[in-house]
Amino acid sequence: MDIYYKNFYDEKVILNRWPCMLQNLEEFESYEWQSEIKETSNHKEKILELYMKLQKKKIELSIFADSKEEMQQTLNEMHRIFEGDIARKTPGRIFVGDEYIWCFCHSGRAEEYEEDFYTTDYEIGIITAKPFWIREKFLSYPIYSGDEGDVFFNFPFNFPFNFTSQQKGISTLENDHYADANFELVIYGPAVDPVINIGGYPYQVYTTVETNEYLVIDSQEKTVTRTLADGTIANEYDNRSFENSVFRPIPPGNHNVLWSGDFGWDITLYKERSKPEW
């Protein structure tokens, strides 16, 4: 299992392989839910809300080198990758296997330096930009094709029957997490006023997505955008359905999916946990 930091430019600092070895993996496992408590009558208390705050953590690395110059080069490169994100005010991500958390590496301090062996203990301060570890689940729903027996091609599921023309735009979506999942939903043009029903709940935007354009609904950031063929991004926030929020997270469970079948779409579920799962 790889543990690493990835910055805005997809540059990595590997934290559990030469020349860096992470010493306190358990730091990633610590978490604490906060509570808002109200005192009621008879001096009783009631929990109104449970929530997760942003956290500060410190990870400890042992860094190795074959020379003093190599040690300095490793530390300088690490600093460049970390601080580039701070300069951009854009968080990077620490990955533990397939899970990640958005964060900034905001401090660094060398504890000891053994010149004879070219090693040092290095402490990195981390502040989370979002409070949860995330594991992504990607699902793709291609445009319907009536060719070759009216079968859907490249579906991410195995079904015991074929889709005929009467079953165009029918599938399933499983959120195999224990909680609601935020998502990014991408609809590929052409499509007019596209609507996708997931578990009987409609996600609709009243706009036209032309050929070579795509529409993105981000439930976590609460944004709806359309990317034009020339790369221009149009804000479609005001064209979303107001009757049924397009930002409603996907509940746990296996859901029936219905749409016209005339356009393709992808969805990435963000399964959030207070600690990484390994």
Side-chain angles (χ1 to χ4, degrees), residues 225-245:
T225 58
R226 178 168 53 91
T227 300
L228 281 59
D230 63 1
T232 303
I233 297 178
N235 189 351
E236 298 283 0
Y237 183 83
D238 291 337
N239 294 324
R240 74 196 191 281
S241 171
F242 287 89
E243 182 178 358
N244 298 285
S245 173

Side-chain angles (χ1 to χ4, degrees), residues 28-33 51-53 55 57 94 96 98-102 128 130-136 175-182 220 269-278:
F28 292 138
E29 294 190 290
S30 63
Y31 71 95
E32 181 181 3
W33 284 88
Y51 60 95
M52 185 71 71
K53 294 177 65 176
Q55 295 181 315
K57 297 176 178 289
I94 286 183
V96 176
D98 294 331
E99 295 177 270
Y100 62 84
I101 193 166
W102 292 98
T128 57
K130 296 181 180 180
F132 295 106
W133 290 86
I134 297 170
R135 184 190 297 272
E136 297 182 0
N175 174 13
D176 55 354
H177 194 38
Y178 53 72
D180 291 354
N182 280 304
Q220 187 164 263
L269 302 181
Y270 299 117
K271 301 185 290 183
E272 299 175 340
R273 294 172 51 93
S274 54
K275 62 183 287 294
E277 181 180 20
W278 49 51

Side-chain angles (χ1 to χ4, degrees), residues 192-207:
V192 177
D193 299 340
V195 57
I196 299 168
N197 278 272
I198 300 175
Y201 186 90
Y203 296 81
Q204 184 165 26
V205 181
Y206 297 101
T207 190

Side-chain angles (χ1 to χ4, degrees), residues 3 22 45 110 120 125 153 155 203 212 225 233-234 237 264:
I3 302 174
L22 179 64
E45 293 183 326
T120 187
F153 294 98
F155 254 90
Y203 296 81
N212 298 323
T225 58
I233 297 178
Y237 183 83

Side-chain angles (χ1 to χ4, degrees), residues 165-179:
S165 58
Q166 286 76 34
Q167 295 167 315
K168 154 182 180 178
I170 301 175
S171 187
T172 60
L173 183 154
E174 183 184 13
N175 174 13
D176 55 354
H177 194 38
Y178 53 72

Side-chain angles (χ1 to χ4, degrees), residues 136-268:
E136 297 182 0
K137 181 176 182 178
F138 175 79
L139 299 168
S140 186
Y141 299 82
I143 191 169
Y144 175 80
S145 171
D147 298 334
E148 302 200 14
D150 289 341
V151 178
F152 261 114
F153 294 98
N154 299 322
F155 254 90
F157 309 96
N158 292 319
F159 294 98
F161 53 85
N162 290 335
F163 287 107
T164 68
S165 58
Q166 286 76 34
Q167 295 167 315
K168 154 182 180 178
I170 301 175
S171 187
T172 60
L173 183 154
E174 183 184 13
N175 174 13
D176 55 354
H177 194 38
Y178 53 72
D180 291 354
N182 280 304
F183 62 87
E184 182 184 80
L185 192 155
V186 183
I187 295 173
Y188 302 97
V192 177
D193 299 340
V195 57
I196 299 168
N197 278 272
I198 300 175
Y201 186 90
Y203 296 81
Q204 184 165 26
V205 181
Y206 297 101
T207 190
T208 298
V209 187
E210 303 288 357
T211 302
N212 298 323
E213 295 183 354
Y214 58 91
L215 183 76
V216 179
I217 302 172
D218 189 322
S219 73
Q220 187 164 263
E221 299 299 329
K222 302 294 189 291
T223 58
V224 183
T225 58
R226 178 168 53 91
T227 300
L228 281 59
D230 63 1
T232 303
I233 297 178
N235 189 351
E236 298 283 0
Y237 183 83
D238 291 337
N239 294 324
R240 74 196 191 281
S241 171
F242 287 89
E243 182 178 358
N244 298 285
S245 173
V246 297
F247 304 128
R248 176 181 179 264
I250 307 298
N254 197 33
H255 307 287
N256 293 325
V257 173
L258 297 172
W259 84 105
S260 70
D262 294 329
F263 59 86
W265 57 284
D266 300 332
I267 188 169
T268 301

Side-chain angles (χ1 to χ4, degrees), residues 21-36:
M21 294 302 297
L22 179 64
Q23 298 299 328
N24 59 334
L25 182 61
E26 67 278 1
E27 182 70 3
F28 292 138
E29 294 190 290
S30 63
Y31 71 95
E32 181 181 3
W33 284 88
Q34 307 295 315
S35 60
E36 182 181 343

